[in-house]
Amino acid sequence: YIIGKGILDNIRVDIWLILFQNPCAFNETLYTYYLNQLPHIDFTKIDNNDSPIIHTITKAKHYFINEITSSSINPIVFMNKTFQIVSVFLLHRPDIPFKKCLVYYTMMFLLNNIEQDYKAFISLISLCSQSYIMPFIINDINFITRRVEFFETLLKHKVNDVYTRLKAFELTPEFYLIKWFEMMFIKCFSYNNVKRMWDLVLLKGESVLFKIAYAIVYVHKKDILCGTYWEMLLTLQKVN
């Protein structure tokens, strides 16, 4: 059912938490304690001196604006909860640097139920603990290099003409694959398509990431074979 139709929206976060298979011992009382340590942020008054988290949140909101509007979610409340969840996550995991993907992950979780911010927080912890996500967040070069090399080999054997052309222009997977995987294809597709992809990734694992990436390249084969360097780069970086 999940593969065919996707998880029902009203139970998606609960099912995702089960699929993560990574129960978190971080209780709600501790979460509330951390929340109380955070400063109040007025998202109606953002300036250049604000933190990278705040600036990322204000930009990321635009990707989800249709969902925010259709769900009658207050954008200020949405941004504040995103800030709180990401900030508590970074307090909980000081070994992890802030990366923009953390904001987008959090917004994906919050959109399923804006009132369940604690579940969104646990989901963020669980997702970032996955073996195929954490290395991209902490920039594990060896892990990332192996994935890039594998995907390049996949292209060479499956679509050699595309592989040869990309290679000729030195457009190796470093230019697009790393961002696709790190962002879990957020910004590549609409929110509705991304959440269905996440259903499959969490159910089947890392192999689905490669299948989606290969499908993107295959679907855009003509654009790659006929495009200029900049057209190819734009196609791979601005998938829709």
Side-chain angles (χ1 to χ4, degrees):
Y1 183 88
I2 292 176
I3 294 175
K5 297 184 178 180
I7 300 171
L8 296 175
D9 287 341
N10 62 331
I11 60 171
R12 176 168 271 110
V13 169
D14 293 309
I15 298 299
W16 280 355
L17 283 170
I18 294 172
L19 293 175
F20 282 134
Q21 297 181 346
N22 184 39
C24 177
F26 198 103
N27 62 57
E28 194 164 359
T29 301
L30 187 55
Y31 174 70
T32 302
Y33 170 79
Y34 274 124
L35 283 182
N36 292 333
Q37 312 306 309
L38 300 177
H40 173 73
I41 303 299
D42 185 352
F43 277 95
T44 64
K45 299 176 182 178
I46 304 301
D47 59 44
N48 293 330
N49 294 322
D50 286 311
S51 71
I53 299 177
I54 294 173
H55 283 290
T56 301
I57 289 172
T58 56
K59 291 180 180 179
K61 178 197 68 174
H62 297 293
Y63 170 76
F64 297 102
I65 194 64
N66 290 335
E67 287 69 35
I68 293 171
T69 303
S70 62
S71 301
S72 300
I73 296 173
N74 184 317
I76 301 300
V77 172
F78 184 72
M79 290 190 288
N80 266 303
K81 289 200 173 189
T82 300
F83 172 78
Q84 291 171 344
I85 291 170
V86 174
S87 297
V88 172
F89 174 81
L90 294 173
L91 287 172
H92 172 60
R93 292 295 304 268
D95 56 313
I96 296 179
F98 169 71
K99 298 200 79 171
K100 294 178 181 179
C101 60
L102 298 175
V103 167
Y104 286 88
Y105 296 163
T106 300
M107 289 184 172
M108 285 287 295
F109 295 130
L110 274 178
L111 276 172
N112 283 281
N113 193 329
I114 189 67
E115 299 303 324
Q116 295 185 344
D117 49 309
Y118 174 67
K119 280 189 178 180
F121 170 71
I122 297 300
S123 298
L124 179 63
I125 291 179
S126 300
L127 176 62
C128 292
S129 298
Q130 300 302 301
S131 60
Y132 50 85
I133 293 298
M134 178 61 79
F136 288 95
I137 295 175
I138 63 175
N139 198 31
D140 184 333
I141 300 300
N142 290 332
F143 178 95
I144 294 171
T145 298
R146 290 196 299 271
R147 268 62 189 172
V148 167
E149 290 174 348
F150 174 81
F151 189 69
E152 198 165 31
T153 301
L154 179 67
L155 293 182
K156 184 177 181 180
H157 286 87
K158 292 288 188 177
V159 280
N160 187 260
D161 50 351
V162 172
Y163 163 81
T164 301
R165 183 161 178 81
L166 290 174
K167 192 78 172 177
F169 283 89
E170 298 184 351
L171 283 175
T172 55
E174 289 97 329
F175 286 96
Y176 52 91
L177 188 74
I178 295 174
K179 184 58 66 177
W180 290 352
F181 280 20
E182 180 183 302
M183 292 290 289
M184 290 274 284
F185 298 103
I186 299 172
K187 298 178 76 174
C188 289
F189 303 98
S190 69
Y191 166 73
N192 285 329
N193 285 331
V194 171
K195 67 183 181 183
R196 291 282 303 279
M197 291 176 186
W198 280 32
D199 292 345
L200 293 175
V201 172
L202 298 180
L203 179 66
K204 295 290 188 177
E206 185 183 16
S207 63
V208 177
L209 295 175
F210 286 101
K211 290 176 181 178
I212 295 171
Y214 172 73
I216 290 172
V217 173
Y218 186 82
V219 166
H220 290 89
K221 179 177 179 178
K222 183 177 179 180
D223 296 327
I224 294 170
L225 293 176
C226 299
T228 64
Y229 172 88
W230 293 111
E231 288 170 340
M232 288 189 288
L233 185 62
L234 186 63
T235 295
L236 292 169
Q237 293 186 340
K238 300 291 184 181
V239 179
N240 53 53

mmCIF file of all heavy atoms in Angstrom, residues 151 154-156 158-163 166 171 173 176-177 180 185 189 210-225 235-236 239:
data_model
loop_
_atom_site.group_PDB
_atom_site.id
_atom_site.type_symbol
_atom_site.label_atom_id
_atom_site.label_comp_id
_atom_site.label_asym_id
_atom_site.label_seq_id
_atom_site.Cartn_x
_atom_site.Cartn_y
_atom_site.Cartn_z
ATOM 1 N N PHE A 151 27.535 6.024 -8.022
ATOM 2 C CA PHE A 151 26.543 6.580 -8.941
ATOM 3 C C PHE A 151 27.154 6.829 -10.317
ATOM 4 O O PHE A 151 26.501 6.613 -11.339
ATOM 5 C CB PHE A 151 25.971 7.886 -8.379
ATOM 6 C CG PHE A 151 24.793 8.404 -9.165
ATOM 7 C CD1 PHE A 151 23.583 7.726 -9.134
ATOM 8 C CD2 PHE A 151 24.890 9.551 -9.939
ATOM 9 C CE1 PHE A 151 22.488 8.189 -9.861
ATOM 10 C CE2 PHE A 151 23.804 10.017 -10.662
ATOM 11 C CZ PHE A 151 22.599 9.333 -10.624
ATOM 12 N N LEU A 154 27.206 3.606 -12.027
ATOM 13 C CA LEU A 154 25.840 3.270 -12.434
ATOM 14 C C LEU A 154 25.481 3.955 -13.747
ATOM 15 O O LEU A 154 24.948 3.316 -14.672
ATOM 16 C CB LEU A 154 24.858 3.688 -11.337
ATOM 17 C CG LEU A 154 23.369 3.443 -11.606
ATOM 18 C CD1 LEU A 154 23.077 1.953 -11.661
ATOM 19 C CD2 LEU A 154 22.515 4.100 -10.515
ATOM 20 N N LEU A 155 25.794 5.243 -13.858
ATOM 21 C CA LEU A 155 25.511 5.976 -15.089
ATOM 22 C C LEU A 155 26.311 5.395 -16.260
ATOM 23 O O LEU A 155 25.799 5.270 -17.378
ATOM 24 C CB LEU A 155 25.851 7.459 -14.916
ATOM 25 C CG LEU A 155 24.993 8.271 -13.942
ATOM 26 C CD1 LEU A 155 25.438 9.729 -13.947
ATOM 27 C CD2 LEU A 155 23.516 8.164 -14.275
ATOM 28 N N LYS A 156 27.549 5.043 -15.999
ATOM 29 C CA LYS A 156 28.418 4.514 -17.051
ATOM 30 C C LYS A 156 27.842 3.233 -17.653
ATOM 31 O O LYS A 156 27.908 3.030 -18.872
ATOM 32 C CB LYS A 156 29.812 4.249 -16.482
ATOM 33 C CG LYS A 156 30.827 3.780 -17.516
ATOM 34 C CD LYS A 156 32.207 3.619 -16.893
ATOM 35 C CE LYS A 156 33.228 3.173 -17.944
ATOM 36 N NZ LYS A 156 34.574 3.032 -17.318
ATOM 37 N N LYS A 158 24.509 2.155 -17.291
ATOM 38 C CA LYS A 158 23.091 2.247 -17.661
ATOM 39 C C LYS A 158 22.825 3.243 -18.794
ATOM 40 O O LYS A 158 21.995 2.987 -19.670
ATOM 41 C CB LYS A 158 22.265 2.632 -16.429
ATOM 42 C CG LYS A 158 22.200 1.581 -15.346
ATOM 43 C CD LYS A 158 21.325 0.409 -15.760
ATOM 44 C CE LYS A 158 21.101 -0.552 -14.611
ATOM 45 N NZ LYS A 158 20.204 -1.666 -14.973
ATOM 46 N N VAL A 159 23.491 4.388 -18.746
ATOM 47 C CA VAL A 159 23.286 5.432 -19.773
ATOM 48 C C VAL A 159 24.659 5.992 -20.156
ATOM 49 O O VAL A 159 24.996 7.114 -19.797
ATOM 50 C CB VAL A 159 22.342 6.558 -19.274
ATOM 51 C CG1 VAL A 159 20.891 6.141 -19.376
ATOM 52 C CG2 VAL A 159 22.671 6.949 -17.839
ATOM 53 N N ASN A 160 25.385 5.181 -20.889
ATOM 54 C CA ASN A 160 26.776 5.530 -21.175
ATOM 55 C C ASN A 160 26.910 6.830 -21.949
ATOM 56 O O ASN A 160 27.881 7.578 -21.764
ATOM 57 C CB ASN A 160 27.462 4.399 -21.938
ATOM 58 C CG ASN A 160 28.947 4.641 -22.112
ATOM 59 O OD1 ASN A 160 29.396 5.079 -23.180
ATOM 60 N ND2 ASN A 160 29.716 4.382 -21.064
ATOM 61 N N ASP A 161 25.945 7.109 -22.835
ATOM 62 C CA ASP A 161 26.017 8.347 -23.611
ATOM 63 C C ASP A 161 25.882 9.564 -22.699
ATOM 64 O O ASP A 161 26.595 10.569 -22.866
ATOM 65 C CB ASP A 161 24.957 8.377 -24.716
ATOM 66 C CG ASP A 161 23.556 8.034 -24.224
ATOM 67 O OD1 ASP A 161 23.412 7.611 -23.053
ATOM 68 O OD2 ASP A 161 22.601 8.179 -25.015
ATOM 69 N N VAL A 162 25.006 9.488 -21.710
ATOM 70 C CA VAL A 162 24.849 10.574 -20.737
ATOM 71 C C VAL A 162 26.108 10.687 -19.879
ATOM 72 O O VAL A 162 26.617 11.795 -19.648
ATOM 73 C CB VAL A 162 23.618 10.339 -19.835
ATOM 74 C CG1 VAL A 162 23.571 11.364 -18.716
ATOM 75 C CG2 VAL A 162 22.344 10.400 -20.665
ATOM 76 N N TYR A 163 26.596 9.554 -19.429
ATOM 77 C CA TYR A 163 27.814 9.534 -18.622
ATOM 78 C C TYR A 163 28.983 10.176 -19.373
ATOM 79 O O TYR A 163 29.708 11.010 -18.813
ATOM 80 C CB TYR A 163 28.168 8.095 -18.247
ATOM 81 C CG TYR A 163 29.590 7.913 -17.774
ATOM 82 C CD1 TYR A 163 29.963 8.211 -16.465
ATOM 83 C CD2 TYR A 163 30.581 7.451 -18.643
ATOM 84 C CE1 TYR A 163 31.267 8.057 -16.029
ATOM 85 C CE2 TYR A 163 31.892 7.288 -18.224
ATOM 86 C CZ TYR A 163 32.226 7.595 -16.917
ATOM 87 O OH TYR A 163 33.531 7.450 -16.495
ATOM 88 N N LEU A 166 28.477 14.052 -19.719
ATOM 89 C CA LEU A 166 28.712 14.728 -18.438
ATOM 90 C C LEU A 166 30.196 14.710 -18.086
ATOM 91 O O LEU A 166 30.741 15.702 -17.592
ATOM 92 C CB LEU A 166 27.898 14.057 -17.329
ATOM 93 C CG LEU A 166 26.375 14.238 -17.392
ATOM 94 C CD1 LEU A 166 25.696 13.391 -16.315
ATOM 95 C CD2 LEU A 166 25.988 15.708 -17.222
ATOM 96 N N LEU A 171 31.130 17.438 -15.463
ATOM 97 C CA LEU A 171 29.969 17.551 -14.584
ATOM 98 C C LEU A 171 29.784 16.227 -13.845
ATOM 99 O O LEU A 171 28.878 15.453 -14.118
ATOM 100 C CB LEU A 171 28.712 17.911 -15.380
ATOM 101 C CG LEU A 171 28.588 19.373 -15.802
ATOM 102 C CD1 LEU A 171 27.375 19.579 -16.692
ATOM 103 C CD2 LEU A 171 28.489 20.268 -14.571
ATOM 104 N N PRO A 173 29.109 13.740 -10.489
ATOM 105 C CA PRO A 173 28.007 13.769 -9.515
ATOM 106 C C PRO A 173 28.209 14.688 -8.308
ATOM 107 O O PRO A 173 27.239 15.018 -7.627
ATOM 108 C CB PRO A 173 27.915 12.301 -9.076
ATOM 109 C CG PRO A 173 28.373 11.532 -10.265
ATOM 110 C CD PRO A 173 29.487 12.354 -10.838
ATOM 111 N N TYR A 176 25.822 17.636 -8.216
ATOM 112 C CA TYR A 176 24.373 17.546 -8.025
ATOM 113 C C TYR A 176 23.955 16.439 -7.047
ATOM 114 O O TYR A 176 23.055 16.643 -6.237
ATOM 115 C CB TYR A 176 23.661 17.336 -9.369
ATOM 116 C CG TYR A 176 24.192 16.177 -10.196
ATOM 117 C CD1 TYR A 176 23.645 14.910 -10.081
ATOM 118 C CD2 TYR A 176 25.246 16.359 -11.094
ATOM 119 C CE1 TYR A 176 24.127 13.847 -10.834
ATOM 120 C CE2 TYR A 176 25.739 15.301 -11.849
ATOM 121 C CZ TYR A 176 25.182 14.052 -11.717
ATOM 122 O OH TYR A 176 25.670 13.006 -12.459
ATOM 123 N N LEU A 177 24.610 15.289 -7.086
ATOM 124 C CA LEU A 177 24.161 14.158 -6.280
ATOM 125 C C LEU A 177 24.249 14.434 -4.783
ATOM 126 O O LEU A 177 23.344 14.071 -4.025
ATOM 127 C CB LEU A 177 24.988 12.911 -6.624
ATOM 128 C CG LEU A 177 24.492 11.610 -5.973
ATOM 129 C CD1 LEU A 177 23.227 11.134 -6.674
ATOM 130 C CD2 LEU A 177 25.567 10.524 -6.030
ATOM 131 N N TRP A 180 21.349 16.518 -3.733
ATOM 132 C CA TRP A 180 20.112 15.733 -3.783
ATOM 133 C C TRP A 180 19.967 14.857 -2.550
ATOM 134 O O TRP A 180 18.919 14.823 -1.920
ATOM 135 C CB TRP A 180 20.097 14.836 -5.029
ATOM 136 C CG TRP A 180 19.946 15.546 -6.327
ATOM 137 C CD1 TRP A 180 19.668 16.867 -6.530
ATOM 138 C CD2 TRP A 180 20.061 14.955 -7.626
ATOM 139 N NE1 TRP A 180 19.610 17.137 -7.878
ATOM 140 C CE2 TRP A 180 19.842 15.990 -8.571
ATOM 141 C CE3 TRP A 180 20.344 13.675 -8.088
ATOM 142 C CZ2 TRP A 180 19.886 15.776 -9.947
ATOM 143 C CZ3 TRP A 180 20.389 13.441 -9.461
ATOM 144 C CH2 TRP A 180 20.157 14.480 -10.383
ATOM 145 N N PHE A 185 16.050 15.231 -1.659
ATOM 146 C CA PHE A 185 15.305 15.668 -2.847
ATOM 147 C C PHE A 185 14.310 16.799 -2.593
ATOM 148 O O PHE A 185 13.511 17.137 -3.465
ATOM 149 C CB PHE A 185 14.600 14.476 -3.515
ATOM 150 C CG PHE A 185 15.569 13.429 -3.993
ATOM 151 C CD1 PHE A 185 15.749 12.255 -3.278
ATOM 152 C CD2 PHE A 185 16.320 13.635 -5.126
ATOM 153 C CE1 PHE A 185 16.657 11.296 -3.701
ATOM 154 C CE2 PHE A 185 17.234 12.685 -5.558
ATOM 155 C CZ PHE A 185 17.406 11.515 -4.846
ATOM 156 N N PHE A 189 11.563 18.615 -6.189
ATOM 157 C CA PHE A 189 10.180 18.322 -6.570
ATOM 158 C C PHE A 189 9.225 19.069 -5.642
ATOM 159 O O PHE A 189 9.652 19.708 -4.685
ATOM 160 C CB PHE A 189 9.911 16.815 -6.474
ATOM 161 C CG PHE A 189 10.824 15.959 -7.301
ATOM 162 C CD1 PHE A 189 11.929 15.348 -6.721
ATOM 163 C CD2 PHE A 189 10.593 15.768 -8.648
ATOM 164 C CE1 PHE A 189 12.780 14.550 -7.474
ATOM 165 C CE2 PHE A 189 11.430 14.983 -9.412
ATOM 166 C CZ PHE A 189 12.534 14.381 -8.822
ATOM 167 N N PHE A 210 19.321 6.237 -4.686
ATOM 168 C CA PHE A 210 20.012 6.030 -5.960
ATOM 169 C C PHE A 210 19.020 5.839 -7.111
ATOM 170 O O PHE A 210 19.251 6.324 -8.221
ATOM 171 C CB PHE A 210 20.949 4.828 -5.866
ATOM 172 C CG PHE A 210 22.194 5.085 -5.063
ATOM 173 C CD1 PHE A 210 22.303 4.638 -3.762
ATOM 174 C CD2 PHE A 210 23.252 5.796 -5.608
ATOM 175 C CE1 PHE A 210 23.441 4.882 -3.010
ATOM 176 C CE2 PHE A 210 24.406 6.054 -4.872
ATOM 177 C CZ PHE A 210 24.498 5.588 -3.571
ATOM 178 N N LYS A 211 17.930 5.150 -6.845
ATOM 179 C CA LYS A 211 16.926 4.924 -7.890
ATOM 180 C C LYS A 211 16.279 6.239 -8.319
ATOM 181 O O LYS A 211 16.047 6.475 -9.508
ATOM 182 C CB LYS A 211 15.870 3.934 -7.403
ATOM 183 C CG LYS A 211 16.405 2.516 -7.258
ATOM 184 C CD LYS A 211 15.357 1.570 -6.683
ATOM 185 C CE LYS A 211 15.926 0.158 -6.531
ATOM 186 N NZ LYS A 211 14.937 -0.774 -5.937
ATOM 187 N N ILE A 212 15.979 7.092 -7.345
ATOM 188 C CA ILE A 212 15.389 8.396 -7.669
ATOM 189 C C ILE A 212 16.387 9.250 -8.444
ATOM 190 O O ILE A 212 16.039 9.885 -9.441
ATOM 191 C CB ILE A 212 14.949 9.129 -6.384
ATOM 192 C CG1 ILE A 212 13.822 8.356 -5.686
ATOM 193 C CG2 ILE A 212 14.487 10.559 -6.706
ATOM 194 C CD1 ILE A 212 13.469 8.894 -4.311
ATOM 195 N N ALA A 213 17.642 9.245 -7.992
ATOM 196 C CA ALA A 213 18.680 10.032 -8.663
ATOM 197 C C ALA A 213 18.869 9.558 -10.098
ATOM 198 O O ALA A 213 18.982 10.374 -11.029
ATOM 199 C CB ALA A 213 19.992 9.925 -7.889
ATOM 200 N N TYR A 214 18.897 8.247 -10.283
ATOM 201 C CA TYR A 214 19.044 7.707 -11.644
ATOM 202 C C TYR A 214 17.845 8.093 -12.508
ATOM 203 O O TYR A 214 18.001 8.471 -13.686
ATOM 204 C CB TYR A 214 19.196 6.192 -11.602
ATOM 205 C CG TYR A 214 19.165 5.568 -12.974
ATOM 206 C CD1 TYR A 214 20.244 5.701 -13.848
ATOM 207 C CD2 TYR A 214 18.038 4.885 -13.416
ATOM 208 C CE1 TYR A 214 20.202 5.154 -15.126
ATOM 209 C CE2 TYR A 214 17.984 4.338 -14.688
ATOM 210 C CZ TYR A 214 19.071 4.474 -15.545
ATOM 211 O OH TYR A 214 19.018 3.946 -16.801
ATOM 212 N N ALA A 215 16.646 8.017 -11.931
ATOM 213 C CA ALA A 215 15.435 8.366 -12.685
ATOM 214 C C ALA A 215 15.474 9.821 -13.141
ATOM 215 O O ALA A 215 15.054 10.143 -14.263
ATOM 216 C CB ALA A 215 14.200 8.112 -11.827
ATOM 217 N N ILE A 216 15.986 10.698 -12.284
ATOM 218 C CA ILE A 216 16.093 12.120 -12.642
ATOM 219 C C ILE A 216 16.985 12.289 -13.873
ATOM 220 O O ILE A 216 16.633 12.978 -14.834
ATOM 221 C CB ILE A 216 16.655 12.942 -11.464
ATOM 222 C CG1 ILE A 216 15.629 13.020 -10.332
ATOM 223 C CG2 ILE A 216 17.036 14.356 -11.920
ATOM 224 C CD1 ILE A 216 16.174 13.654 -9.064
ATOM 225 N N VAL A 217 18.158 11.656 -13.820
ATOM 226 C CA VAL A 217 19.096 11.764 -14.941
ATOM 227 C C VAL A 217 18.485 11.166 -16.204
ATOM 228 O O VAL A 217 18.579 11.735 -17.301
ATOM 229 C CB VAL A 217 20.430 11.054 -14.600
ATOM 230 C CG1 VAL A 217 21.345 11.019 -15.827
ATOM 231 C CG2 VAL A 217 21.129 11.771 -13.449
ATOM 232 N N TYR A 218 17.829 10.022 -16.067
ATOM 233 C CA TYR A 218 17.243 9.345 -17.236
ATOM 234 C C TYR A 218 16.132 10.188 -17.872
ATOM 235 O O TYR A 218 16.069 10.326 -19.093
ATOM 236 C CB TYR A 218 16.694 7.978 -16.830
ATOM 237 C CG TYR A 218 16.216 7.158 -18.001
ATOM 238 C CD1 TYR A 218 17.125 6.423 -18.766
ATOM 239 C CD2 TYR A 218 14.875 7.127 -18.358
ATOM 240 C CE1 TYR A 218 16.696 5.687 -19.855
ATOM 241 C CE2 TYR A 218 14.438 6.400 -19.441
ATOM 242 C CZ TYR A 218 15.354 5.677 -20.195
ATOM 243 O OH TYR A 218 14.932 4.952 -21.282
ATOM 244 N N VAL A 219 15.280 10.741 -17.037
ATOM 245 C CA VAL A 219 14.165 11.569 -17.547
ATOM 246 C C VAL A 219 14.694 12.801 -18.281
ATOM 247 O O VAL A 219 14.102 13.246 -19.271
ATOM 248 C CB VAL A 219 13.234 11.969 -16.386
ATOM 249 C CG1 VAL A 219 12.284 13.086 -16.815
ATOM 250 C CG2 VAL A 219 12.450 10.765 -15.899
ATOM 251 N N HIS A 220 15.824 13.334 -17.816
ATOM 252 C CA HIS A 220 16.402 14.536 -18.424
ATOM 253 C C HIS A 220 17.515 14.207 -19.414
ATOM 254 O O HIS A 220 18.336 15.067 -19.748
ATOM 255 C CB HIS A 220 16.936 15.476 -17.335
ATOM 256 C CG HIS A 220 15.848 16.119 -16.525
ATOM 257 N ND1 HIS A 220 15.327 15.540 -15.394
ATOM 258 C CD2 HIS A 220 15.157 17.276 -16.701
ATOM 259 C CE1 HIS A 220 14.384 16.323 -14.903
ATOM 260 N NE2 HIS A 220 14.265 17.380 -15.665
ATOM 261 N N LYS A 221 17.515 12.976 -19.895
ATOM 262 C CA LYS A 221 18.566 12.511 -20.808
ATOM 263 C C LYS A 221 18.694 13.402 -22.038
ATOM 264 O O LYS A 221 19.794 13.810 -22.429
ATOM 265 C CB LYS A 221 18.280 11.068 -21.221
ATOM 266 C CG LYS A 221 19.283 10.472 -22.192
ATOM 267 C CD LYS A 221 18.945 9.013 -22.484
ATOM 268 C CE LYS A 221 19.937 8.423 -23.487
ATOM 269 N NZ LYS A 221 19.649 6.984 -23.759
ATOM 270 N N LYS A 222 17.565 13.724 -22.660
ATOM 271 C CA LYS A 222 17.598 14.544 -23.877
ATOM 272 C C LYS A 222 18.184 15.927 -23.591
ATOM 273 O O LYS A 222 18.988 16.445 -24.377
ATOM 274 C CB LYS A 222 16.184 14.672 -24.451
ATOM 275 C CG LYS A 222 16.128 15.446 -25.769
ATOM 276 C CD LYS A 222 14.708 15.483 -26.323
ATOM 277 C CE LYS A 222 14.653 16.283 -27.622
ATOM 278 N NZ LYS A 222 13.259 16.328 -28.169
ATOM 279 N N ASP A 223 17.778 16.530 -22.475
ATOM 280 C CA ASP A 223 18.288 17.852 -22.116
ATOM 281 C C ASP A 223 19.794 17.815 -21.892
ATOM 282 O O ASP A 223 20.509 18.762 -22.246
ATOM 283 C CB ASP A 223 17.595 18.355 -20.841
ATOM 284 C CG ASP A 223 16.104 18.574 -21.036
ATOM 285 O OD1 ASP A 223 15.710 18.951 -22.152
ATOM 286 O OD2 ASP A 223 15.346 18.357 -20.085
ATOM 287 N N ILE A 224 20.269 16.731 -21.313
ATOM 288 C CA ILE A 224 21.705 16.598 -21.042
ATOM 289 C C ILE A 224 22.489 16.409 -22.335
ATOM 290 O O ILE A 224 23.535 17.025 -22.551
ATOM 291 C CB ILE A 224 21.960 15.433 -20.068
ATOM 292 C CG1 ILE A 224 21.358 15.758 -18.695
ATOM 293 C CG2 ILE A 224 23.458 15.143 -19.940
ATOM 294 C CD1 ILE A 224 21.351 14.588 -17.725
ATOM 295 N N LEU A 225 21.968 15.554 -23.207
ATOM 296 C CA LEU A 225 22.694 15.247 -24.442
ATOM 297 C C LEU A 225 22.706 16.417 -25.425
ATOM 298 O O LEU A 225 23.627 16.550 -26.227
ATOM 299 C CB LEU A 225 22.078 14.012 -25.119
ATOM 300 C CG LEU A 225 22.241 12.688 -24.368
ATOM 301 C CD1 LEU A 225 21.505 11.575 -25.098
ATOM 302 C CD2 LEU A 225 23.716 12.340 -24.212
ATOM 303 N N THR A 235 19.846 22.130 -15.395
ATOM 304 C CA THR A 235 18.898 20.997 -15.382
ATOM 305 C C THR A 235 19.111 20.125 -14.167
ATOM 306 O O THR A 235 18.161 19.734 -13.481
ATOM 307 C CB THR A 235 19.067 20.158 -16.657
ATOM 308 O OG1 THR A 235 18.694 20.934 -17.802
ATOM 309 C CG2 THR A 235 18.193 18.913 -16.610
ATOM 310 N N LEU A 236 20.366 19.837 -13.853
ATOM 311 C CA LEU A 236 20.682 18.932 -12.752
ATOM 312 C C LEU A 236 20.514 19.590 -11.375
ATOM 313 O O LEU A 236 20.237 18.914 -10.396
ATOM 314 C CB LEU A 236 22.123 18.424 -12.898
ATOM 315 C CG LEU A 236 22.351 17.501 -14.101
ATOM 316 C CD1 LEU A 236 23.842 17.261 -14.312
ATOM 317 C CD2 LEU A 236 21.630 16.176 -13.922
ATOM 318 N N VAL A 239 16.047 20.617 -10.720
ATOM 319 C CA VAL A 239 15.109 19.587 -11.148
ATOM 320 C C VAL A 239 13.705 19.963 -10.693
ATOM 321 O O VAL A 239 13.515 20.548 -9.644
ATOM 322 C CB VAL A 239 15.494 18.232 -10.534
ATOM 323 C CG1 VAL A 239 14.504 17.150 -10.940
ATOM 324 C CG2 VAL A 239 16.900 17.849 -10.974
#
